[in-house]
Amino acid sequence: MKLFACTVCGAPLQFEDAACPSCNARLGFLTRERRLVAVRLADEGWSPVGEAGARYRFCANAAYGACTWLVAETPDPEASRFCTACRHNRTIPDLTQDQNLARWRKLEAAKKRLFYTLMSLDLPLTLRPDDPAGLAFDFLADQPATGAAGVMTGHADGLVTIAIAEADDSEREARRSAMGEPYRTLLGHLRHEVGHYYWTKLVEEPNALDGFRTLFGDERTDYGAALQRHYSEGPPPDWAERHVSAYATAHPWEDWAETFAHYLHMVDTLETASAFGLRLRPRASGGETLAEDLSTTVAFDPHREGSLARLVDAWGPLTFAVNALNRSMGQSDLYPFILAPAAVEKLGFVHARVRAVGAGSGADAASLG
């Protein structure tokens, strides 16, 4: 994620801010430029401060405190009701229920971070009206009064279903503990589920399938039976030697989705580190310089970086440092993973497919590492 500054007073801003915490200027996000700007109300809409001529409207979901993204004015107001991210919503919960509204706002905040990365990588985003398997989201609340089973987070043919109960911290922690997961977040869920969507966009073609099956396995293996076996028997004891997570062992599709999500974790976090000009030169307690592999300078755009090796080389020192900082605050590790060489090779496959279809699609294949 980039860093942003108020275009009125220069105060630092967070991506999710709706108003400047210093001067209270209203803020809006310009999707094409990926900029958070102060806006003023003009006769024909909202205009970025200091930019003459441009006119926008806020996404319709701004009325619920769930979106700060701007939409370009068009002759047809109905066509520009929702922003780039919100137009992919198929179902939202009953917002007359305060609990649903609070949870949905958290989900939308996570989804905006997801879309920021997808757009920065130039990955395709098709809408349901244009493609029967286009990307869409159902944000659903459990209906215990009806006796129906609880909502299950998942993906099917481009439709991502998210149980909004996951937005409740205590509920998500209970599920994390019950599932034996070291890491469970709203953003992680969204990145994983869209990973299934992007399998069809990035992998399901003859020139990619062979490479996928070599690394991840044969996706034609019975999916239902594989999941049942995973939940009854658990992952193999040596899973960490080949996968980014225990759940990735369930089936090649889940391995891909977990690896894709991990790749997005890396790209977004590395961009944030780069925006802060992060430079790590650690020293041990006696003053001696530690091993060179714990030193790094994050000064590149991970969305456009051709070499996965550069991302991985920066990722190791960065995650070691943030884990140490978390422990200083009495928190568990922010990054509870170890990337084995086989998992890095799978990340390399994801990186190459993203570069081939999205960002850097015109790059020389030899530059892909």
Side-chain angles (χ1 to χ4, degrees):
M1 182 60 66
K2 294 178 182 177
L3 296 181
F4 304 97
C6 177
T7 47
V8 172
C9 71
L13 304 172
Q14 297 283 1
F15 175 64
E16 293 81 8
D17 285 340
C20 174
S22 179
C23 70
N24 205 39
R26 186 165 186 182
L27 304 173
F29 186 70
L30 295 170
T31 56
R32 185 179 296 275
E33 301 91 339
R34 251 81 87 206
R35 289 196 299 139
L36 187 62
V37 297
V39 293
R40 58 180 176 82
L41 189 59
D43 291 340
E44 299 176 3
W46 293 89
S47 178
V49 171
E51 299 181 23
R55 293 291 184 272
Y56 299 90
R57 68 177 65 211
F58 275 94
C59 173
N61 286 334
Y64 302 103
C67 188
T68 61
W69 288 23
L70 297 167
V71 183
E73 290 280 9
T74 66
D76 179 8
E78 188 64 25
S80 58
R81 287 189 65 215
F82 295 104
C83 71
T84 302
C86 289
R87 68 184 58 164
H88 286 270
N89 289 352
R90 191 180 80 156
T91 307
I92 62 173
D94 178 4
L95 301 183
T96 63
Q97 304 294 318
D98 290 343
Q99 184 182 67
N100 287 353
L101 177 58
R103 290 176 172 180
W104 178 57
R105 284 172 176 164
K106 289 182 180 181
L107 282 162
E108 283 296 334
K111 195 186 79 183
K112 296 303 189 300
R113 284 206 169 236
L114 167 71
F115 269 74
Y116 172 92
T117 304
L118 298 178
M119 292 186 300
S120 295
L121 291 171
D122 295 330
L123 288 173
L125 290 163
T126 57
L127 292 165
R128 215 69 171 177
D130 304 322
D131 178 358
L135 182 61
F137 294 85
D138 281 351
F139 296 116
L140 304 179
D142 290 337
Q143 302 292 331
T146 66
V151 176
M152 295 295 292
T153 292
H155 167 272
D157 298 323
L159 178 62
V160 174
T161 300
I162 301 291
I164 68 166
E166 289 275 359
D168 181 84
D169 293 340
S170 60
E171 175 64 27
R172 190 171 60 257
E173 174 59 21
R175 297 187 185 195
R176 186 198 67 78
S177 179
M179 300 292 287
E181 297 175 347
Y183 176 88
R184 190 180 181 98
T185 67
L186 293 180
L187 185 52
H189 277 322
L190 290 166
R191 286 171 172 166
H192 173 98
E193 298 305 339
V194 300
H196 288 296
Y197 167 74
Y198 280 109
W199 190 86
T200 64
K201 302 294 183 182
L202 305 181
V203 182
E204 198 176 29
E205 55 182 74
N207 67 338
L209 270 174
D210 287 345
F212 171 85
R213 288 170 181 163
T214 298
L215 291 173
F216 293 84
D218 192 336
E219 81 289 352
R220 293 167 294 188
T221 303
D222 188 285
Y223 180 72
L227 285 188
Q228 185 176 14
R229 182 171 56 253
H230 173 78
Y231 286 121
S232 63
E233 301 176 7
D238 61 347
W239 66 264
E241 296 178 10
R242 298 181 302 280
H243 302 85
V244 296
S245 71
Y247 187 58
T249 67
H251 186 274
W253 280 336
E254 298 302 339
D255 197 3
W256 161 267
E258 286 285 271
T259 308
F260 181 87
H262 213 95
Y263 180 75
L264 297 193
H265 294 336
M266 293 175 67
V267 167
D268 193 10
T269 306
L270 286 168
E271 186 190 31
T272 305
S274 179
F276 274 97
L278 197 64
R279 178 176 179 268
L280 298 174
R281 292 292 184 271
R283 291 186 179 276
S285 58
E288 64 272 20
T289 301
L290 290 171
E292 188 63 28
D293 60 4
L294 287 181
S295 299
T296 191
T297 299
V298 188
F300 57 90
D301 181 357
H303 303 109
R304 293 293 181 269
E305 177 55 49
S307 171
L308 178 76
R310 194 174 187 192
L311 274 65
V312 173
D313 288 347
W315 188 242
L318 175 62
T319 53
F320 187 90
V322 296
N323 283 348
L325 291 169
N326 258 35
R327 293 182 187 194
S328 295
M329 289 293 295
Q331 299 290 330
S332 56
D333 285 352
L334 180 69
Y335 183 75
F337 305 96
I338 297 176
L339 289 179
V344 172
E345 191 174 4
K346 292 175 183 177
L347 285 165
F349 180 85
V350 174
H351 180 69
R353 294 310 303 153
V354 167
R355 296 279 297 171
V357 175
S361 58
D364 185 340
S367 70
L368 304 179

